[in-house]
Amino acid sequence: MGGSEFVWIGKAILLLQLIPGILGWGKDGHYTVCKIAQGYLSEDASVAVKELLPDSAQGDLASVCSWADEIRFHYHWSGPLHYIDTPDFRCNYNYSHNLTEALMFLSHFIGDIHQVWDNMIIESAVKMFYGSDLSMMIQAIQRNITDGWSNDILPWESCSLDQTACPDPYASESINLACKFAYRNAAPGSTLEDDYFLSRLPVVEKRLAQGGVRLAATLNQTGVQAWSTEGHVMVCQIAQGLLEPDAAHAVQMLLPDYVNGNLSALCVWPDQIRHWYKYRWTSPLHFIDTPDEACNFHYKRDCHDPHGLKDMCVAGAIQNFTTQLSHYREGTSDRRHNMTEALLFVSHFMGDIHQVWDREIILTAAKDYYGKDMDLLRQDIEANFTHGLWREDVTSWTDCSDMFTCVNKWAVESVNIACHWGYKDVESGETLDDDYFNSRLPIVMKRIAQGGVRLAMILNRVFGDSEEDVEAAST
């Protein structure tokens, strides 16, 4: 996790205490946001956070989430970063040091940007409904995240493709809520009654939940390795461009409205939610764990976990979610959410199974040859299989009589490439030079192409009119 990522986030989130003179959420609100977030961190992000926290925090991010308030008058430059001072009566928003401090600022400011009221509603709720125990309120919010609001997590977490965090919409949400609910129908100097607190409490609890979810998603994203956003997005963009009309329509129907039909906008979603309690079972599905020194793949050996569960690897996941999608035409409206998730999992795992290196080769190529423009890199990849170097290979790439055989073949390809090219002739701890990146780049580009072409093949089959296609895709 590079220092520049945290510093960038710290600078990008110029955040808010919405109404001038407002007290802010105080310690309780910020503690709640960070406690929720820490419960949903990925393993990599959790390790990084604990390494960055001062010893006095004992690994507890929530314990330092008010640090940014405590030092704001020592760090005078940080004072304006706690709020957005909009003109009076304006109900809209327009945004024209070290890693430990960056982490603590970020964690605090994510709380600030979701803030609508001061700490009084939180304190009143804790006293009235939770026996003055803040941890009980946090647990209640966490239950709502996993149950009542579970279908809202996707839009809460989603950012545009080139952003790790989305401060603009977060700020707009808070300002809209402040104008609509905060002091509406409350005259200056009046005492706010219980009805006021009770009617606003659900809004406050939801903002605390959103702050926690989004802080976790941001920290998880800064720590993501593998292909991360770039590789998965290109696989999905390539695939969507190759969809036949029936498949394109089905994909459009299954995607949530807010992505405007863009499959690639959600291709990293399975990485973002893999450590949520509801989805923890999916974590082993992102990779194939072959024995040390084993340069081969055996399904029965590598896809069965120690407890006897079968299909617990990326190859098994693709097969199972493809089978689920093959029942799309039989589905009813109440099954649409499960079908949507199956689509997103298949799309993501098709990237995972073709992955050999982490994202650094992709980022290096984009920087050195494409002016950091991922679209140009993707267009080069597409040109290679439409009328370039790989045009005669596409038929063999999509040769697939049954799904079990295909996923095994794709997994074997990746294991073989990793063994022969991954870190061949590279000593442990050695810095990889330009020759290494340049010699491996064509392999990475080809794996991205194969992932996209094969994903399109699967979706065309499962969503096509032909019974034979559906059967081939699901058996």
Side-chain angles (χ1 to χ4, degrees):
M1 177 166 43
S4 61
E5 289 174 308
F6 269 125
V7 173
W8 175 85
I9 296 167
K11 290 178 179 178
I13 304 181
L14 304 178
L15 307 176
L16 78 157
Q17 201 171 353
L18 287 169
I19 300 174
I22 200 167
L23 293 175
W25 265 356
K27 289 187 176 181
D28 288 348
H30 287 290
Y31 182 93
T32 299
V33 168
C34 288
K35 183 62 75 172
I36 290 170
Q38 195 160 14
Y40 297 111
L41 293 181
S42 67
E43 184 176 349
D44 288 341
S46 181
V47 169
V49 165
K50 288 178 180 178
E51 287 178 350
L52 289 175
L53 288 173
D55 293 340
S56 60
Q58 297 182 337
D60 182 15
L61 177 62
S63 69
V64 296
C65 258
S66 293
W67 172 84
D69 272 340
E70 295 164 1
I71 55 82
R72 62 190 295 184
F73 296 107
H74 296 285
Y75 289 64
H76 294 289
W77 58 269
S78 74
L81 306 184
H82 292 255
Y83 57 87
I84 291 171
D85 191 8
T86 61
D88 290 344
F89 308 111
R90 287 288 300 275
C91 283
N92 54 58
Y93 163 78
N94 184 31
Y95 177 68
S96 308
H97 295 133
N98 65 50
L99 294 179
T100 296
E101 290 187 352
L103 169 64
M104 292 191 289
F105 274 125
L106 170 66
S107 301
H108 182 88
F109 290 154
I110 288 282
D112 278 346
I113 204 169
H114 286 85
Q115 172 186 315
V116 183
W117 284 271
D118 59 25
N119 203 44
M120 292 304 297
I121 291 182
I122 297 174
E123 290 179 352
S124 298
V126 170
K127 181 178 179 181
M128 293 171 63
F129 302 116
Y130 301 101
S132 298
D133 187 344
L134 179 61
S135 66
M136 296 295 291
M137 181 177 181
I138 294 172
Q139 291 170 20
I141 294 174
Q142 289 171 325
R143 285 194 295 272
N144 273 326
I145 291 171
T146 55
D147 296 326
W149 298 323
S150 61
N151 291 343
D152 298 329
I153 302 303
L154 271 174
W156 288 0
E157 291 182 322
S158 293
C159 275
S160 61
L161 299 179
D162 60 347
Q163 289 185 289
T164 303
C166 299
D168 289 10
Y170 303 164
S172 294
E173 289 169 357
S174 289
I175 290 176
N176 290 337
L177 289 170
C179 289
K180 187 174 182 180
F181 292 109
Y183 296 104
R184 186 182 180 187
N185 300 326
S190 63
T191 301
L192 302 177
E193 304 293 339
D194 287 347
D195 286 346
Y196 177 89
F197 285 100
L198 294 175
S199 63
R200 271 61 175 182
L201 176 59
V203 182
V204 170
E205 291 186 326
K206 193 169 188 177
R207 292 305 280 167
L208 291 169
Q210 289 173 318
V213 167
R214 287 164 170 169
L215 174 56
T218 300
L219 295 175
N220 288 340
Q221 188 69 6
T222 60
V224 167
Q225 293 300 314
W227 272 358
S228 190
T229 301
E230 298 83 12
H232 285 290
V233 165
M234 285 191 284
V235 167
C236 287
Q237 288 175 330
I238 290 169
Q240 195 161 18
L242 297 172
L243 293 183
E244 296 167 1
D246 286 340
H249 176 72
V251 167
Q252 295 269 350
M253 293 296 294
L254 288 176
L255 289 173
D257 294 339
Y258 64 87
V259 299
N260 298 317
N262 182 12
L263 176 61
S264 66
L266 292 176
C267 262
V268 294
W269 173 79
D271 269 339
Q272 295 169 339
I273 53 84
R274 61 190 288 189
H275 295 286
W276 289 75
Y277 180 79
K278 179 180 177 181
Y279 297 101
R280 282 179 185 169
W281 61 272
T282 69
S283 286
L285 306 183
H286 291 257
F287 55 88
I288 295 168
D289 191 11
T290 59
D292 291 344
E293 309 300 329
C295 278
N296 51 56
F297 169 73
H298 295 296
Y299 194 90
K300 288 185 177 179
R301 181 193 68 194
D302 301 326
C303 288
H304 295 182
D305 78 357
H307 305 291
L309 288 176
K310 299 179 180 180
D311 305 328
M312 295 301 290
C313 71
V314 65
I318 292 171
Q319 185 177 3
N320 289 336
F321 284 116
T322 299
T323 299
Q324 186 173 337
L325 282 178
S326 70
H327 298 288
Y328 167 73
R329 298 190 184 281
E330 306 165 18
T332 55
S333 58
D334 62 330
R335 294 179 59 194
R336 174 174 171 169
H337 181 68
N338 289 335
M339 287 288 180
T340 298
E341 291 192 349
L343 169 65
L344 301 183
F345 278 123
V346 166
S347 301
H348 181 87
F349 291 146
M350 283 298 291
D352 280 343
I353 203 169
H354 287 85
Q355 174 186 317
V356 183
W357 285 272
D358 63 24
R359 67 193 297 217
E360 289 305 315
I361 290 181
I362 298 174
L363 295 179
T364 301
K367 178 183 178 182
D368 290 351
Y369 304 117
Y370 300 97
K372 297 184 179 180
D373 189 333
M374 288 294 170
D375 285 336
L376 292 179
L377 173 56
R378 173 181 52 79
Q379 289 165 18
D380 244 10
I381 293 173
E382 290 173 329
N384 269 318
F385 69 76
T386 55
H387 55 269
L389 187 63
W390 310 318
R391 66 186 182 280
E392 295 181 0
D393 299 332
V394 173
T395 301
S396 64
W397 292 356
T398 57
D399 181 18
C400 182
S401 58
D402 70 89
M403 188 52 58
F404 180 78
T405 301
C406 294
V407 294
N408 275 269
K409 179 175 73 173
W410 303 338
V412 168
E413 289 172 354
S414 288
V415 171
N416 287 340
I417 291 171
C419 288
H420 286 92
W421 294 100
Y423 294 99
K424 183 181 179 182
D425 302 325
V426 176
E427 298 295 329
S428 178
E430 181 181 345
T431 300
L432 303 179
D433 58 19
D434 289 344
D435 288 341
Y436 178 90
F437 285 100
N438 291 333
S439 63
R440 271 62 174 182
L441 176 59
I443 301 172
V444 172
M445 294 174 70
K446 189 172 185 178
R447 293 305 280 169
I448 291 172
Q450 290 173 320
V453 168
R454 288 165 170 168
L455 173 57
M457 177 268 293
I458 290 176
L459 297 180
N460 284 331
R461 288 187 179 185
V462 296
F463 296 132
D465 283 332
S466 168
E467 291 294 331
E468 291 80 5
D469 280 350
V470 173
E471 183 178 353
S474 59
T475 58

